[in-house]
Amino acid sequence: MSGINLLQSKIEVVNIGLPLFAEALAVQDIPVVQVDWTPPAGGDERLIELLDLLSE
Amino acid sequence: MEKIEQANKIAVGRMLDSDPVLVDVRPAGEIISGLADGVILHAGPPIGWDRMCGPMRGAITGAIVLEGWAGDLAAAGKLAQSGDISFQPNHHFDAVGPMTGLITPSMPVMVVENRKFGNRAFCTLNEGLGKVMRFGGNDGEVLNRLRWLASDLAPALSRALADREGLPLKAIIARGLSMGDEMHQRNIACTGLVLRELAPSLARTSTDPETLAGLLSFIGGNDQFFLNIAMAMGKAIMDPVRGVDGSCVVTAMSRNGTDFGIRVSGTGDQWFTAPVEMPNGLYFPGFSERDANPDMGDSTIVETMGLGGFAMAAAPAVAGFVGAGSAGDALNYTRSMLEITVGRNPEWTIPALDFTGVPTGIDIRKVLETGLAPVINTGIAHREPGVGQVGAGIVRAPMACFEQALEAFAAGMGVGGVS
């Protein structure tokens, strides 16, 4: 099964969100890429609503 | 939303179909409809004297003396405050101007004709670097240079352009991008290309070798001469994009030293404004951030059409000049602008990005979704009137402009009303 293969293979991580997770892996010498990501519209609920409506 | 995608496709299609040609240089009062005595055109969205920054005020008093509306700078300042001068944005008159961006009737303006859509746009001649009116300079040296531009350079360029029936610009941009220009803070290649194109016609239409030598020397010695041509071209390209129903593509970004303003195709000619930000850059010896005026000028029309900061990957040298970092950082600036644009320009490509086309058509939705504000390469003016340029840097368009624009655009599309 793919899940078992995943756990048995070498781990390489892409982290989105809090950089703390990436930093914790990096100090354990696990390859990790931190994605430069922020919530849409900086998390502003009104703007997110408008963006959603304009994409429908 | 399908209507938006189709409208944005039309908007970007108009940008790509444009055929800008530099056709003439004429006195502004002769060719700009509505620019009469007592009217001063300025950069950025509308603003009154009371809210203008130091360099804008300095340039205005100088321009009033240049026009002979007052005898000296002190009298010019009183006239400017009196309410007898009408201050109007360049953008409302088919025009653009760098930094303070002033246009008054006697100043010559270059005329760029978009031969695909039949519209024309105007921009003043570039004065050179240092103490110049676009950075707030207003002393005798500044005014005498402006007089020479009107008396000698402008008529000569007009004759030369007539001799060769105009100068098509799209191909010059394509070559300039492959030679290290981004057409905002680096115009060395394009200035050289224009000089090479115009020199035979300048020589053929000249009657005096010494005058001709002076003209050639002025253009060849001014690395930013092409900037103003690129700006008039940008205005000529972006104006046909105005008013496409359902399009959320930005048609203008501009600043007056106090406010930053944007216009969006689907919301017509409404300005969405927010306070300008301070450029982050490098300063000439003897100056620092304490001396700097906030962001200013219509030159962001260059970024609006996909050049300048958007094309920084083409100009690694400019990254150092504006303090943007390494050549690798320059690549990343362009890559990030690809995330906020509708498409790419297949005719204006960047060798260092495997000939990727420059990012074209800023989509306000993508700006807000990604949090990536448009990046702008800019000159920095001294905050006091009459000093001039003190550095160069990069600055971002304020996100608040895009937030307001999205609200208005959504209302126009009939969605998102607050219940």
Side-chain angles (χ1 to χ4, degrees), chain B residues 9-28:
Chain B
K9 206 170 174 181
I10 291 168
V12 170
R14 289 184 188 176
M15 292 173 70
L16 300 180
D17 288 345
S18 285
D19 181 15
V21 180
L22 178 62
V23 294
D24 206 349
V25 182
R26 307 299 305 170

Side-chain angles (χ1 to χ4, degrees), chain B residues 52-59 61 100 131-138 287-294 296 380-390:
Chain B
M52 285 179 184
C53 64
M56 185 70 85
R57 289 183 174 189
T61 53
T100 59
K131 193 159 59 170
V132 288
M133 185 169 279
R134 72 177 185 279
F135 285 102
N138 57 16
F287 297 103
S288 72
E289 190 171 335
R290 290 192 301 277
D291 303 304
N293 195 77
M296 184 166 61
I380 304 173
H382 197 285
R383 62 170 61 249
E384 299 297 332
V387 180
Q389 184 173 7
V390 296

